[in-house]
Amino acid sequence: MKPCIAVIVSLFVMATVAARAADNPAGKAEQLATDLFKASGGDNWGKVKEVQFTFVVESEGKALFSAQHVWNVAAGTDEVKWKDKQGTDHHATAKLATPVADGDEKTAYARWVNDSYWFLAPLKIRDKGVTVEAGGPKDLNGTSCETLHLSFDGVGMTPTDQYVLYLDPQTKLVRAWDYIPKTGDGMQATWEKYQTFAGLTLATEHNFNGKTIRLTDIKVTSDK
């Protein structure tokens, strides 16, 4: 096949796939989820053995809270260190497959659920119990972004929560999300300051309602 003909055929196939996805909401959602997962380094996620990070909440430049995580992905544990509102140090290791019902281990598990989702939500999009739906294009600060709606079936500690992800049209990464709780006020938060760690492309800052979440001290260990 001549090169020019091959290019034309390739473009035709791509256009056909895109058209079918547009006519098939489930197919569109699956394509968006696949694009996001791959853009975030999903092909490398299976190689990851350990993730270290610190989850920091700030307001007006002042740290309100921080939690240090050493997540042993292979062993299914997360060692967490944090201070409570009274300034007391806490240190516990959560067993992620069999979380306990009380004490510091319960708090450590809750911190893992919350903090790791702010850090790695795009890499959890393939987790069991996650349902994705295409929400169509929406404006985000003057940019038209495809949106992906996430809902959950028995996942996490608040499975009735939902999210709408705004995907960058060029990078396919999350630019912002809408958090939609079952009760109470929702909010929109940015996903920004992306960096790459062991093949994972991750946002290290989120801004919302006058507060900032920073992910710092990041180290990802993976098989070569």
Side-chain angles (χ1 to χ4, degrees), residues 47-104:
K47 304 173 187 177
V48 173
K49 299 172 65 177
E50 184 178 271
V51 179
Q52 298 181 29
F53 67 98
T54 301
F55 177 90
V56 183
V57 181
E58 298 178 354
S59 179
E60 298 180 349
K62 180 181 179 181
L64 304 179
F65 175 82
S66 68
Q68 297 172 286
H69 293 262
V70 180
W71 175 11
N72 188 324
V73 179
T77 61
D78 186 25
E79 180 184 357
V80 189
K81 297 179 182 179
W82 73 97
K83 289 181 183 289
D84 61 24
K85 293 181 179 179
Q86 288 71 42
T88 303
D89 290 318
H90 295 265
H91 182 187
T93 298
K95 296 179 181 178
L96 307 181
T98 55
V100 300
D102 53 25
D104 277 0

Side-chain angles (χ1 to χ4, degrees), residues 6 53 85 103 107 126-127 153 156 163 177 179 183 193 197 220:
F53 67 98
K85 293 181 179 179
T107 304
R126 297 297 193 190
D127 286 3
D153 181 11
Y163 296 85
W177 72 10
Y179 166 61
T183 59
K193 295 190 178 178
F197 307 89
V220 178

Side-chain angles (χ1 to χ4, degrees), residues 84-157:
D84 61 24
K85 293 181 179 179
Q86 288 71 42
T88 303
D89 290 318
H90 295 265
H91 182 187
T93 298
K95 296 179 181 178
L96 307 181
T98 55
V100 300
D102 53 25
D104 277 0
E105 287 186 38
K106 178 183 178 181
T107 304
Y109 177 74
R111 290 254 54 98
W112 173 79
V113 170
N114 180 80
D115 302 354
S116 69
Y117 207 66
W118 278 101
F119 193 29
L120 298 164
L123 295 171
K124 292 173 170 282
I125 204 166
R126 297 297 193 190
D127 286 3
K128 183 179 179 181
V130 179
T131 298
V132 297
E133 297 177 84
K138 293 184 180 180
D139 180 79
L140 180 69
N141 301 323
T143 299
S144 179
C145 298
E146 289 289 349
T147 58
L148 193 62
H149 178 267
L150 307 185
S151 57
F152 309 93
D153 181 11
V155 177
M157 301 184 73

Side-chain angles (χ1 to χ4, degrees), residues 6-20:
V7 170
I8 292 171
V9 171
S10 177
L11 291 173
F12 175 77
V13 171
M14 291 172 63
T16 301
V17 170
R20 288 177 177 174

